[in-house]
Amino acid sequence: MSATSAFRFTLELTDPGSAARVGRWQTPHGTVETPAFMPVGTIGSVKGLTPDQLRQAGVQMVLANTYHLALRPGAEIVADLGGLHRFTGWNGPMLTDSGGFQVFSLARLAKLSDEQVVFRSHIDGALLELSPERAIRIQELLGADCIMCLDECPPHDVTDERLKEAVDRTTRWAVRSREAHRRTDQALFGIVQGGTNRMLRERSAAALLPLDFPGYALGGLSVGEAPEQMYEALEWTVPLLPADRPRYLMGVGRPIDLVESVWRGIDLFDCVMPTRNGRNAMAFTHAGVLRMRNAVYQRDERPLDPLCTCPVCRQFSRAYLRHLFLANEILGPVLLSWHNLAYYQQLLADLRQAIREKRAIEFRAVQLAGWGSSP
Amino acid sequence: MSATSAFRFTLELTDPGSAARVGRWQTPHGTVETPAFMPVGTIGSVKGLTPDQLRQAGVQMVLANTYHLALRPGAEIVADLGGLHRFTGWNGPMLTDSGGFQVFSLARLAKLSDEQVVFRSHIDGALLELSPERAIRIQELLGADCIMCLDECPPHDVTDERLKEAVDRTTRWAVRSREAHRRTDQALFGIVQGGTNRMLRERSAAALLPLDFPGYALGGLSVGEAPEQMYEALEWTVPLLPADRPRYLMGVGRPIDLVESVWRGIDLFDCVMPTRNGRNAMAFTHAGVLRMRNAVYQRDERPLDPLCTCPVCRQFSRAYLRHLFLANEILGPVLLSWHNLAYYQQLLADLRQAIREKRAIEFRAVQLAGWGSSP
């Protein structure tokens, strides 16, 4: 299968009043309607949920973390077992990150050079190394539909000089990643870095565009900067990217961030928030966040979100969900993760519909009003 | 609704070569094919599984623990929220125990008298009391289809004198339970006690039969005695019970125990084993128990049990399940609990079929051979 035939990104419509757009992204494991949100299946499962439950929540595409899977069970083992799709039972589109973000945040960094990054496993402290070539090799073994170049992810508060070094190293690594990548049934994305520095974002984009990636990711955002700074960075960066390729904002975010970022031209998202917050008893709803341990829900027979039609809202009351959390029952985190994913998927589906019907601006206003100031 | 119309136990067939029998037990929330196994939904959920997943596993009836629910969230709250069926989302037949077993095992006993038992909550040490009348009242508030008389559950190694006291107190409490019970849409079962003492089992049964309960449970078994002692106790006790009422062996057990007890005339079981062991990485299969953390499964692409058609065996490999446990992913305990329940349900369905087809004896032999000496 050639890369040309396996992938196709079709822009259906661009909003006349914003940079928002609706598209269809064809991959070897199915088509993704964009803008789309991917739940995070860190170590090969979206915590607590089966592939069937993901489908029922409306999930189209799932992300898995290369760093975690390379440590456990190991990329070679996943390959021996037929790749990530077969291993995890999720047979829809999948994406893996490069492992870079976890190496720079979760692991203990030992040595960073142009050649590679050396780090210690957060599990057992073992000394490991990751190079652009190895990151590609691991992702080829894992076998996701969409894979990422290794990038350097500095903290958001580094000096501009340090940030520039990271941008340039990310460019050099992108060149090597592109050269190392062999599988034509995988789309390799470049990652634009540069933090909230406009000049560096432009420098990064300008350097990556000639490499002609089939899609571009934006890294180094939602790492501690204010939301407004992130939105501003999108406004500078997105217009530099080719309109005919998917744009993926990595690690974002809150419902409001999705709406604001789609508004600024983003097509693809991933974030642990719906599942991680679900495990911590926080429910996303049209009326904002509910904290399900709160005593006000003790006798509340209503569903989490009366406007939601997900399996959780159809079957269970707030009172029951609160009880599950207070009694430390596994089903509490499972059900709240499930609802939150369904809420995110419905939000994106509604957004796509609103863009198609040329009412993106009203939709945005209604959502923001519903969530209040802090959704 | 009168108790007569709400419940009906129909004996379909009794095995010519054993005491095994097949029946249909009609309850206000549906009909249970017997012999049947109930998973335990301790605090109002079968840990980690949704009602839909229980249905998919073939579950017909669910047990919930009165002791746990009375502590959290409280019986009055469950009643306010429409009762256990509505609260938990399980709309099929349900059974609650009386709370006695937990009071005598889990809680710290403060004072036992004929009037009531005083104990300390295992959660916060609060001093609480349970009388036969209160146990009935709580179970009426919870609203399960089948409920239990409060019984005294002494340890298995007490003196015969102490055991006789417990039997007689259980009888007096059964009389009071019967008098206190008002709801006609609930079947109240008496509980035969007496440990592994034949005379006391006979004494208990003889005292309870005149109370004319619509079903009888056997308590005080599977509490530490050898399996052979339990089977022997069944052989003495079951023939004393009316053939036209369901017989429920409480808290049992391993797959082999189910087969041996059905053989001796039991219709109904509950046990935490399939779910608790599933959470601890133990899978029940036709070839015996698999311990899924074992390194031998690292690259094992086979399903847990090649003879099982449950959703877990249809979708996931042993290698993936092992990975989930090693990576401490919630989905591991969820999936193994799910499979184990499906395995138990399939075992009972196969048993019913074998009894119907007059090949119970061959079925028993094949199962025992498959499991080896220690299934």
Side-chain angles (χ1 to χ4, degrees), chain A residues 43-45 47-49 51 53 72-73 77 80-81 86-88 298-299 301 315-316 319-320 323 326 329-331, chain B residues 43-45 47-49 51-53 72-73 77 80-81 86-88 298-299 301 316 319-320 323 326-327 329-331:
Chain A
I43 324 184
S45 84
K47 294 192 193 306
L49 297 175
Q53 287 172 322
R72 287 186 303 201
I77 286 179
D80 280 357
L81 293 163
R86 187 151 155 206
F87 183 59
T88 65
Q298 187 178 43
R299 290 165 196 264
E301 293 195 68
Q315 292 177 82
F316 305 105
Y320 181 61
H323 163 66
L326 292 191
E329 286 285 290
I330 314 176
L331 196 58
Chain B
I43 323 182
S45 84
K47 294 190 193 306
L49 297 174
D52 284 345
Q53 288 173 322
R72 288 186 302 202
I77 285 180
D80 280 358
L81 293 164
R86 186 152 154 205
F87 183 58
T88 64
Q298 188 179 41
R299 290 166 196 263
E301 292 195 69
F316 305 105
Y320 181 61
H323 163 66
L326 292 191
E329 286 286 290
I330 314 175
L331 195 58

Short mmCIF file of all heavy atoms in Angstrom, two decimals, chain A residues 43-45 47-49 51 53 72-73 77 80-81 86-88 298-299 301 315-316 319-320 323 326 329-331, chain B residues 43-45 47-49 51-53 72-73 77 80-81 86-88 298-299 301 316 319-320 323 326-327 329-331:
data_model
loop_
_atom_site.label_atom_id
_atom_site.label_comp_id
_atom_site.label_asym_id
_atom_site.label_seq_id
_atom_site.Cartn_x
_atom_site.Cartn_y
_atom_site.Cartn_z
N ILE A 43 -0.67 2.97 28.01
CA ILE A 43 0.16 1.76 27.97
C ILE A 43 -0.56 0.69 27.16
O ILE A 43 -0.36 -0.50 27.36
CB ILE A 43 0.45 1.26 29.41
CG1 ILE A 43 0.64 2.44 30.37
CG2 ILE A 43 1.68 0.36 29.43
CD1 ILE A 43 1.01 2.06 31.78
N GLY A 44 -1.45 1.12 26.27
CA GLY A 44 -2.14 0.14 25.44
C GLY A 44 -3.58 -0.08 25.84
O GLY A 44 -4.24 -0.98 25.32
N SER A 45 -4.09 0.72 26.79
CA SER A 45 -5.52 0.72 27.07
C SER A 45 -5.93 2.10 27.55
O SER A 45 -5.16 2.76 28.24
CB SER A 45 -5.90 -0.35 28.12
OG SER A 45 -5.71 0.15 29.43
N LYS A 47 -7.63 3.80 30.10
CA LYS A 47 -7.75 3.18 31.42
C LYS A 47 -9.19 2.79 31.79
O LYS A 47 -10.07 3.63 31.92
CB LYS A 47 -7.15 4.08 32.50
CG LYS A 47 -5.65 4.24 32.33
CD LYS A 47 -4.97 4.88 33.54
CE LYS A 47 -3.55 5.30 33.21
NZ LYS A 47 -2.69 4.23 32.67
N GLY A 48 -9.41 1.48 31.94
CA GLY A 48 -10.69 0.97 32.42
C GLY A 48 -11.73 0.71 31.36
O GLY A 48 -12.77 0.13 31.67
N LEU A 49 -11.47 1.15 30.12
CA LEU A 49 -12.51 1.05 29.09
C LEU A 49 -12.14 0.05 28.00
O LEU A 49 -10.99 -0.03 27.58
CB LEU A 49 -12.75 2.43 28.47
CG LEU A 49 -13.27 3.49 29.46
CD1 LEU A 49 -13.35 4.85 28.78
CD2 LEU A 49 -14.64 3.09 30.00
N PRO A 51 -12.50 -1.46 24.03
CA PRO A 51 -12.68 -0.87 22.70
C PRO A 51 -14.16 -0.66 22.36
O PRO A 51 -14.52 0.36 21.77
CB PRO A 51 -12.02 -1.89 21.77
CG PRO A 51 -10.97 -2.55 22.61
CD PRO A 51 -11.57 -2.63 23.99
N GLN A 53 -16.57 0.02 24.42
CA GLN A 53 -17.04 1.20 25.16
C GLN A 53 -16.53 2.48 24.51
O GLN A 53 -17.23 3.49 24.48
CB GLN A 53 -16.63 1.11 26.63
CG GLN A 53 -17.44 0.06 27.40
CD GLN A 53 -16.93 -0.18 28.81
OE1 GLN A 53 -15.72 -0.20 29.06
NE2 GLN A 53 -17.83 -0.40 29.74
N ARG A 72 7.10 -1.16 28.52
CA ARG A 72 6.22 -2.29 28.84
C ARG A 72 5.13 -2.39 27.81
O ARG A 72 4.37 -1.42 27.70
CB ARG A 72 5.57 -2.09 30.23
CG ARG A 72 6.48 -2.28 31.39
CD ARG A 72 5.72 -2.20 32.70
NE ARG A 72 4.99 -0.95 32.87
CZ ARG A 72 4.59 -0.46 34.05
NH1 ARG A 72 4.86 -1.13 35.15
NH2 ARG A 72 3.93 0.67 34.15
N PRO A 73 4.96 -3.42 27.07
CA PRO A 73 5.72 -4.69 27.14
C PRO A 73 6.96 -4.69 26.27
O PRO A 73 7.68 -5.67 26.27
CB PRO A 73 4.70 -5.70 26.58
CG PRO A 73 3.92 -4.92 25.58
CD PRO A 73 3.84 -3.52 26.13
N ILE A 77 7.81 -7.01 21.25
CA ILE A 77 6.75 -7.93 21.66
C ILE A 77 5.42 -7.54 21.02
O ILE A 77 4.68 -8.39 20.51
CB ILE A 77 6.65 -7.99 23.20
CG1 ILE A 77 7.84 -8.81 23.73
CG2 ILE A 77 5.33 -8.58 23.66
CD1 ILE A 77 7.88 -8.93 25.23
N ASP A 80 5.57 -8.66 17.50
CA ASP A 80 5.38 -10.12 17.41
C ASP A 80 3.92 -10.50 17.56
O ASP A 80 3.46 -11.51 17.02
CB ASP A 80 6.16 -10.83 18.54
CG ASP A 80 7.63 -10.96 18.20
OD1 ASP A 80 8.02 -10.56 17.08
OD2 ASP A 80 8.40 -11.46 19.05
N LEU A 81 3.19 -9.70 18.34
CA LEU A 81 1.78 -10.02 18.60
C LEU A 81 0.87 -9.36 17.57
O LEU A 81 -0.33 -9.26 17.77
CB LEU A 81 1.41 -9.62 20.02
CG LEU A 81 2.13 -10.46 21.10
CD1 LEU A 81 2.06 -9.78 22.45
CD2 LEU A 81 1.52 -11.86 21.18
N ARG A 86 -4.00 -5.11 16.78
CA ARG A 86 -4.37 -6.47 17.18
C ARG A 86 -4.14 -6.67 18.68
O ARG A 86 -4.95 -7.30 19.36
CB ARG A 86 -3.54 -7.46 16.36
CG ARG A 86 -3.95 -8.87 16.58
CD ARG A 86 -3.65 -9.69 15.34
NE ARG A 86 -3.47 -11.09 15.70
CZ ARG A 86 -2.75 -11.95 15.00
NH1 ARG A 86 -2.13 -11.54 13.90
NH2 ARG A 86 -2.64 -13.19 15.39
N PHE A 87 -3.03 -6.14 19.18
CA PHE A 87 -2.67 -6.31 20.59
C PHE A 87 -3.75 -5.73 21.50
O PHE A 87 -4.19 -6.36 22.47
CB PHE A 87 -1.33 -5.63 20.84
CG PHE A 87 -0.77 -5.78 22.23
CD1 PHE A 87 -0.52 -7.03 22.76
CD2 PHE A 87 -0.46 -4.66 23.00
CE1 PHE A 87 0.02 -7.17 24.04
CE2 PHE A 87 0.08 -4.78 24.27
CZ PHE A 87 0.31 -6.04 24.80
N THR A 88 -4.20 -4.51 21.20
CA THR A 88 -5.13 -3.82 22.10
C THR A 88 -6.59 -4.10 21.78
O THR A 88 -7.47 -3.77 22.58
CB THR A 88 -4.95 -2.29 22.02
OG1 THR A 88 -5.31 -1.85 20.70
CG2 THR A 88 -3.51 -1.90 22.30
N GLN A 298 -25.89 13.62 46.89
CA GLN A 298 -26.25 12.42 47.65
C GLN A 298 -27.58 11.81 47.22
O GLN A 298 -27.72 10.60 47.16
CB GLN A 298 -26.30 12.75 49.14
CG GLN A 298 -26.49 11.51 49.99
CD GLN A 298 -26.49 11.83 51.47
OE1 GLN A 298 -27.08 12.80 51.93
NE2 GLN A 298 -25.79 11.00 52.25
N ARG A 299 -28.57 12.65 46.97
CA ARG A 299 -29.88 12.14 46.56
C ARG A 299 -30.30 12.67 45.20
O ARG A 299 -31.49 12.74 44.88
CB ARG A 299 -30.94 12.53 47.61
CG ARG A 299 -30.79 11.79 48.94
CD ARG A 299 -31.61 12.44 50.04
NE ARG A 299 -31.20 11.99 51.36
CZ ARG A 299 -31.79 11.00 52.04
NH1 ARG A 299 -32.82 10.39 51.53
NH2 ARG A 299 -31.33 10.64 53.22
N GLU A 301 -31.09 12.42 41.63
CA GLU A 301 -31.47 11.34 40.71
C GLU A 301 -31.17 11.68 39.26
O GLU A 301 -31.35 10.84 38.38
CB GLU A 301 -32.97 11.05 40.84
CG GLU A 301 -33.36 10.47 42.16
CD GLU A 301 -34.76 9.87 42.10
OE1 GLU A 301 -34.93 8.85 41.41
OE2 GLU A 301 -35.66 10.44 42.73
N GLN A 315 -28.23 5.57 32.03
CA GLN A 315 -28.47 4.50 33.01
C GLN A 315 -28.27 4.87 34.46
O GLN A 315 -28.82 4.21 35.34
CB GLN A 315 -27.52 3.32 32.73
CG GLN A 315 -27.80 2.58 31.46
CD GLN A 315 -26.77 1.47 31.23
OE1 GLN A 315 -26.87 0.40 31.78
NE2 GLN A 315 -25.76 1.77 30.45
N PHE A 316 -27.42 5.87 34.75
CA PHE A 316 -27.01 6.05 36.14
C PHE A 316 -27.27 7.47 36.64
O PHE A 316 -27.14 8.43 35.89
CB PHE A 316 -25.53 5.70 36.30
CG PHE A 316 -25.18 4.32 35.80
CD1 PHE A 316 -24.52 4.15 34.59
CD2 PHE A 316 -25.56 3.19 36.52
CE1 PHE A 316 -24.21 2.88 34.11
CE2 PHE A 316 -25.26 1.92 36.06
CZ PHE A 316 -24.59 1.76 34.85
N ALA A 319 -26.41 10.41 42.11
CA ALA A 319 -26.33 9.82 43.45
C ALA A 319 -25.57 8.50 43.41
O ALA A 319 -24.75 8.21 44.29
CB ALA A 319 -27.73 9.61 44.01
N TYR A 320 -25.85 7.67 42.40
CA TYR A 320 -25.16 6.38 42.29
C TYR A 320 -23.67 6.59 42.02
O TYR A 320 -22.81 5.95 42.64
CB TYR A 320 -25.80 5.54 41.19
CG TYR A 320 -25.18 4.17 41.03
CD1 TYR A 320 -25.18 3.24 42.07
CD2 TYR A 320 -24.58 3.80 39.82
CE1 TYR A 320 -24.61 1.98 41.92
CE2 TYR A 320 -24.01 2.53 39.66
CZ TYR A 320 -24.03 1.64 40.72
OH TYR A 320 -23.47 0.39 40.56
N HIS A 323 -21.95 7.69 45.08
CA HIS A 323 -21.80 6.54 45.97
C HIS A 323 -20.60 5.68 45.55
O HIS A 323 -19.81 5.25 46.40
CB HIS A 323 -23.09 5.72 45.96
CG HIS A 323 -22.93 4.33 46.49
ND1 HIS A 323 -22.62 4.08 47.81
CD2 HIS A 323 -22.99 3.12 45.88
CE1 HIS A 323 -22.51 2.77 47.99
NE2 HIS A 323 -22.73 2.17 46.83
N LEU A 326 -17.42 7.36 46.69
CA LEU A 326 -17.24 7.34 48.15
C LEU A 326 -16.92 5.93 48.63
O LEU A 326 -16.20 5.76 49.62
CB LEU A 326 -18.49 7.87 48.85
CG LEU A 326 -18.78 9.36 48.66
CD1 LEU A 326 -19.87 9.81 49.59
CD2 LEU A 326 -17.54 10.21 48.86
N GLU A 329 -15.38 2.21 44.67
CA GLU A 329 -15.68 1.16 43.71
C GLU A 329 -15.06 1.50 42.34
O GLU A 329 -15.24 2.61 41.84
CB GLU A 329 -17.20 1.01 43.55
CG GLU A 329 -17.86 0.35 44.74
CD GLU A 329 -17.61 -1.15 44.76
OE1 GLU A 329 -18.13 -1.86 43.92
OE2 GLU A 329 -16.84 -1.59 45.65
N ILE A 330 -14.38 0.50 41.72
CA ILE A 330 -13.73 0.71 40.42
C ILE A 330 -14.70 1.28 39.39
O ILE A 330 -14.31 2.01 38.49
CB ILE A 330 -13.20 -0.62 39.82
CG1 ILE A 330 -12.46 -1.46 40.87
CG2 ILE A 330 -12.30 -0.36 38.63
CD1 ILE A 330 -12.02 -2.82 40.32
N LEU A 331 -15.97 0.89 39.50
CA LEU A 331 -16.93 1.30 38.48
C LEU A 331 -17.10 2.83 38.42
O LEU A 331 -17.47 3.36 37.37
CB LEU A 331 -18.29 0.62 38.74
CG LEU A 331 -19.28 0.64 37.58
CD1 LEU A 331 -18.71 -0.01 36.32
CD2 LEU A 331 -20.59 -0.05 37.96
N ILE B 43 -21.18 -3.52 47.19
CA ILE B 43 -21.64 -2.20 47.65
C ILE B 43 -22.53 -1.58 46.59
O ILE B 43 -22.65 -0.35 46.49
CB ILE B 43 -20.43 -1.28 47.96
CG1 ILE B 43 -19.29 -2.10 48.58
CG2 ILE B 43 -20.85 -0.15 48.90
CD1 ILE B 43 -18.09 -1.27 48.97
N GLY B 44 -23.14 -2.41 45.74
CA GLY B 44 -24.04 -1.87 44.73
C GLY B 44 -23.45 -1.88 43.34
O GLY B 44 -24.04 -1.34 42.41
N SER B 45 -22.26 -2.51 43.18
CA SER B 45 -21.74 -2.76 41.84
C SER B 45 -20.90 -4.01 41.87
O SER B 45 -20.20 -4.27 42.85
CB SER B 45 -20.91 -1.57 41.32
OG SER B 45 -19.57 -1.63 41.78
N LYS B 47 -17.76 -5.31 41.00
CA LYS B 47 -16.61 -4.40 40.84
C LYS B 47 -16.09 -4.28 39.41
O LYS B 47 -15.62 -5.24 38.81
CB LYS B 47 -15.47 -4.82 41.78
CG LYS B 47 -15.86 -4.65 43.25
CD LYS B 47 -14.70 -4.82 44.21
CE LYS B 47 -15.18 -4.96 45.65
NZ LYS B 47 -16.07 -3.90 46.12
N GLY B 48 -16.21 -3.06 38.87
CA GLY B 48 -15.63 -2.74 37.57
C GLY B 48 -16.52 -3.02 36.37
O GLY B 48 -16.17 -2.63 35.26
N LEU B 49 -17.66 -3.69 36.59
CA LEU B 49 -18.48 -4.12 35.45
C LEU B 49 -19.82 -3.39 35.41
O LEU B 49 -20.45 -3.15 36.44
CB LEU B 49 -18.72 -5.63 35.52
CG LEU B 49 -17.44 -6.48 35.41
CD1 LEU B 49 -17.75 -7.95 35.64
CD2 LEU B 49 -16.78 -6.28 34.05
N PRO B 51 -23.90 -3.10 34.22
CA PRO B 51 -25.00 -4.05 34.05
C PRO B 51 -25.03 -4.68 32.66
O PRO B 51 -25.29 -5.87 32.52
CB PRO B 51 -26.24 -3.19 34.31
CG PRO B 51 -25.77 -2.12 35.24
CD PRO B 51 -24.37 -1.81 34.79
N ASP B 52 -24.70 -3.90 31.63
CA ASP B 52 -24.66 -4.46 30.27
C ASP B 52 -23.61 -5.55 30.16
O ASP B 52 -23.83 -6.58 29.52
CB ASP B 52 -24.34 -3.35 29.24
CG ASP B 52 -25.53 -2.46 28.97
OD1 ASP B 52 -26.66 -2.84 29.32
OD2 ASP B 52 -25.33 -1.37 28.40
N GLN B 53 -22.46 -5.31 30.77
CA GLN B 53 -21.41 -6.32 30.71
C GLN B 53 -21.82 -7.58 31.47
O GLN B 53 -21.50 -8.70 31.05
CB GLN B 53 -20.09 -5.75 31.24
CG GLN B 53 -19.45 -4.75 30.28
CD GLN B 53 -18.24 -4.03 30.86
OE1 GLN B 53 -18.22 -3.69 32.05
NE2 GLN B 53 -17.24 -3.79 30.04
N ARG B 72 -23.01 2.26 53.59
CA ARG B 72 -22.81 3.20 52.48
C ARG B 72 -23.61 2.75 51.29
O ARG B 72 -23.37 1.64 50.82
CB ARG B 72 -21.31 3.25 52.07
CG ARG B 72 -20.42 3.93 53.04
CD ARG B 72 -19.02 4.06 52.48
NE ARG B 72 -18.43 2.75 52.14
CZ ARG B 72 -17.11 2.53 52.03
NH1 ARG B 72 -16.26 3.52 52.23
NH2 ARG B 72 -16.64 1.36 51.71
N PRO B 73 -24.55 3.50 50.77
CA PRO B 73 -24.90 4.87 51.16
C PRO B 73 -25.95 4.92 52.26
O PRO B 73 -26.31 6.01 52.69
CB PRO B 73 -25.49 5.44 49.87
CG PRO B 73 -26.13 4.26 49.21
CD PRO B 73 -25.29 3.07 49.59
N ILE B 77 -31.44 5.97 51.88
CA ILE B 77 -31.07 6.70 50.67
C ILE B 77 -31.35 5.86 49.43
O ILE B 77 -31.90 6.34 48.43
CB ILE B 77 -29.59 7.14 50.74
CG1 ILE B 77 -29.47 8.32 51.71
CG2 ILE B 77 -29.06 7.51 49.36
CD1 ILE B 77 -28.08 8.86 51.88
N ASP B 80 -35.01 6.02 48.87
CA ASP B 80 -35.38 7.32 48.29
C ASP B 80 -35.07 7.38 46.80
O ASP B 80 -35.74 8.08 46.03
CB ASP B 80 -34.61 8.44 48.98
CG ASP B 80 -35.23 8.82 50.31
OD1 ASP B 80 -36.28 8.23 50.66
OD2 ASP B 80 -34.68 9.70 50.99
N LEU B 81 -34.01 6.67 46.41
CA LEU B 81 -33.59 6.71 45.01
C LEU B 81 -34.25 5.62 44.19
O LEU B 81 -33.84 5.32 43.08
CB LEU B 81 -32.06 6.62 44.93
CG LEU B 81 -31.35 7.86 45.50
CD1 LEU B 81 -29.88 7.57 45.76
CD2 LEU B 81 -31.49 9.05 44.54
N ARG B 86 -33.17 0.33 40.56
CA ARG B 86 -33.04 1.61 39.89
C ARG B 86 -31.70 2.26 40.22
O ARG B 86 -31.05 2.84 39.36
CB ARG B 86 -34.20 2.51 40.34
CG ARG B 86 -34.25 3.80 39.59
CD ARG B 86 -35.67 4.32 39.53
NE ARG B 86 -35.67 5.75 39.38
CZ ARG B 86 -36.66 6.53 39.75
NH1 ARG B 86 -37.74 6.00 40.31
NH2 ARG B 86 -36.59 7.83 39.59
N PHE B 87 -31.29 2.14 41.48
CA PHE B 87 -30.04 2.76 41.95
C PHE B 87 -28.84 2.21 41.18
O PHE B 87 -27.99 2.97 40.71
CB PHE B 87 -29.89 2.50 43.45
CG PHE B 87 -28.69 3.13 44.09
CD1 PHE B 87 -28.48 4.51 44.05
CD2 PHE B 87 -27.77 2.35 44.79
CE1 PHE B 87 -27.39 5.09 44.66
CE2 PHE B 87 -26.67 2.93 45.40
CZ PHE B 87 -26.47 4.30 45.34
N THR B 88 -28.78 0.89 41.05
CA THR B 88 -27.60 0.27 40.44
C THR B 88 -27.70 0.12 38.92
O THR B 88 -26.70 -0.16 38.27
CB THR B 88 -27.36 -1.14 41.00
OG1 THR B 88 -28.46 -1.98 40.62
CG2 THR B 88 -27.26 -1.11 42.52
N GLN B 298 3.79 -14.22 28.02
CA GLN B 298 4.31 -12.97 27.45
C GLN B 298 4.00 -12.82 25.96
O GLN B 298 3.68 -11.74 25.50
CB GLN B 298 5.82 -12.90 27.66
CG GLN B 298 6.39 -11.54 27.26
CD GLN B 298 7.89 -11.46 27.50
OE1 GLN B 298 8.66 -12.39 27.25
NE2 GLN B 298 8.32 -10.32 28.02
N ARG B 299 4.13 -13.90 25.21
CA ARG B 299 3.87 -13.83 23.77
C ARG B 299 2.74 -14.79 23.37
O ARG B 299 2.66 -15.20 22.22
CB ARG B 299 5.14 -14.16 22.99
CG ARG B 299 6.20 -13.08 23.07
CD ARG B 299 7.55 -13.59 22.58
NE ARG B 299 8.63 -12.72 23.01
CZ ARG B 299 9.18 -11.77 22.27
NH1 ARG B 299 8.75 -11.57 21.05
NH2 ARG B 299 10.16 -11.00 22.75
N GLU B 301 -0.58 -15.69 22.12
CA GLU B 301 -1.64 -15.01 21.36
C GLU B 301 -3.01 -15.62 21.57
O GLU B 301 -4.01 -15.10 21.08
CB GLU B 301 -1.32 -15.06 19.87
CG GLU B 301 -0.11 -14.24 19.48
CD GLU B 301 -0.06 -14.02 17.97
OE1 GLU B 301 -0.92 -13.27 17.47
OE2 GLU B 301 0.82 -14.59 17.33
N PHE B 316 -9.32 -10.53 23.11
CA PHE B 316 -8.01 -10.23 23.70
C PHE B 316 -7.17 -11.48 23.90
O PHE B 316 -7.69 -12.55 24.20
CB PHE B 316 -8.20 -9.52 25.05
CG PHE B 316 -9.05 -8.29 24.96
CD1 PHE B 316 -10.36 -8.29 25.42
CD2 PHE B 316 -8.55 -7.13 24.38
CE1 PHE B 316 -11.17 -7.16 25.32
CE2 PHE B 316 -9.35 -5.99 24.27
CZ PHE B 316 -10.66 -6.01 24.75
N ALA B 319 -1.43 -12.61 26.11
CA ALA B 319 -0.29 -11.68 26.19
C ALA B 319 -0.76 -10.28 26.56
O ALA B 319 -0.14 -9.59 27.38
CB ALA B 319 0.45 -11.65 24.85
N TYR B 320 -1.86 -9.84 25.97
CA TYR B 320 -2.38 -8.50 26.28
C TYR B 320 -2.87 -8.44 27.72
O TYR B 320 -2.58 -7.47 28.44
CB TYR B 320 -3.51 -8.15 25.31
CG TYR B 320 -4.09 -6.76 25.52
CD1 TYR B 320 -3.31 -5.63 25.39
CD2 TYR B 320 -5.44 -6.59 25.86
CE1 TYR B 320 -3.82 -4.36 25.58
CE2 TYR B 320 -5.98 -5.33 26.04
CZ TYR B 320 -5.17 -4.22 25.90
OH TYR B 320 -5.70 -2.96 26.09
N HIS B 323 0.02 -8.27 30.01
CA HIS B 323 0.58 -6.91 29.95
C HIS B 323 -0.23 -5.95 30.82
O HIS B 323 0.34 -5.14 31.56
CB HIS B 323 0.60 -6.44 28.50
CG HIS B 323 0.77 -4.97 28.35
ND1 HIS B 323 1.92 -4.30 28.72
CD2 HIS B 323 -0.08 -4.01 27.90
CE1 HIS B 323 1.78 -3.01 28.48
NE2 HIS B 323 0.57 -2.80 28.00
N LEU B 326 0.68 -6.49 34.44
CA LEU B 326 2.03 -6.04 34.78
C LEU B 326 2.12 -4.52 34.77
O LEU B 326 2.88 -3.93 35.52
CB LEU B 326 3.05 -6.63 33.80
CG LEU B 326 3.26 -8.14 33.89
CD1 LEU B 326 4.47 -8.56 33.07
CD2 LEU B 326 3.44 -8.60 35.33
N ALA B 327 1.33 -3.87 33.91
CA ALA B 327 1.37 -2.41 33.83
C ALA B 327 0.37 -1.76 34.79
O ALA B 327 0.18 -0.55 34.76
CB ALA B 327 1.10 -1.96 32.39
N GLU B 329 -2.81 -1.73 34.80
CA GLU B 329 -3.92 -1.07 34.11
C GLU B 329 -5.26 -1.60 34.64
O GLU B 329 -5.45 -2.82 34.72
CB GLU B 329 -3.83 -1.32 32.60
CG GLU B 329 -2.73 -0.54 31.92
CD GLU B 329 -3.09 0.92 31.79
OE1 GLU B 329 -3.97 1.26 31.01
OE2 GLU B 329 -2.47 1.74 32.51
N ILE B 330 -6.19 -0.69 34.95
CA ILE B 330 -7.50 -1.08 35.49
C ILE B 330 -8.19 -2.10 34.60
O ILE B 330 -8.95 -2.95 35.06
CB ILE B 330 -8.47 0.14 35.58
CG1 ILE B 330 -7.79 1.36 36.19
CG2 ILE B 330 -9.72 -0.22 36.36
CD1 ILE B 330 -8.70 2.60 36.17
N LEU B 331 -7.94 -2.00 33.29
CA LEU B 331 -8.66 -2.87 32.36
C LEU B 331 -8.34 -4.35 32.60
O LEU B 331 -9.16 -5.21 32.28
CB LEU B 331 -8.33 -2.47 30.91
CG LEU B 331 -9.25 -3.02 29.82
CD1 LEU B 331 -10.70 -2.63 30.05
CD2 LEU B 331 -8.79 -2.56 28.44
#
